[in-house]
């Protein structure tokens, strides 16, 4: 688990930052990106999911954004 405190202007920016950082780290095969969340420092009990996190039929997790439209996919969209 990595807890990375950063300052970002708004929730949309925080989600975008976490998504981009996670995609970069996902190049390492042993990294599991499904559980990435962001939260405000003074409300860490309120977490916003970055990825969908649904389990696919092959037991991998969906790699699309949490609010995606359409079917789930185990790979990052291009």
């Amino acid at each position: 688990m990595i807890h990375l405190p950063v300052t970002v202007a708004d929730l949309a920016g925080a989600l975008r930052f976490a998504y981009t950082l996670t995609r970069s780290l996902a190049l390492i095969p042993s990294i599991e990106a499904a559980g990435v969340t962001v939260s405000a420092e003074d409300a860490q009990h309120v977490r916003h999911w970055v990825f969908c996190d649904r389990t696919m039929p092959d037991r991998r997790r969906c790699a699309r954004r949490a609010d995606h439209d359409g079917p789930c996919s185990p790979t990052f969209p291009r």
Side-chain angles (χ1 to χ4, degrees):
M1 176 188 307
I2 298 172
H3 181 82
L4 180 64
V6 296
T7 301
V8 182
D10 57 15
L11 177 59
L15 290 169
R16 190 171 39 256
F17 173 78
Y19 181 84
T20 303
L21 180 62
T22 303
R23 284 196 63 179
S24 297
L25 292 173
L27 297 173
I28 302 168
S30 60
I31 298 284
E32 169 65 63
V36 177
T37 61
V38 298
S39 61
E41 183 177 10
D42 57 348
Q44 292 184 14
H45 62 283
V46 179
R47 296 178 182 210
H48 302 274
W49 289 95
V50 176
F51 298 100
C52 172
D53 200 36
R54 289 189 187 110
T55 304
M56 308 293 297
D58 63 358
R59 310 280 297 151
R60 292 190 291 173
R61 296 194 179 273
C62 179
R64 297 185 69 189
R65 293 180 186 265
D67 60 350
H68 74 84
D69 291 327
C72 288
S73 173
T75 58
F76 288 111
R78 295 190 184 266

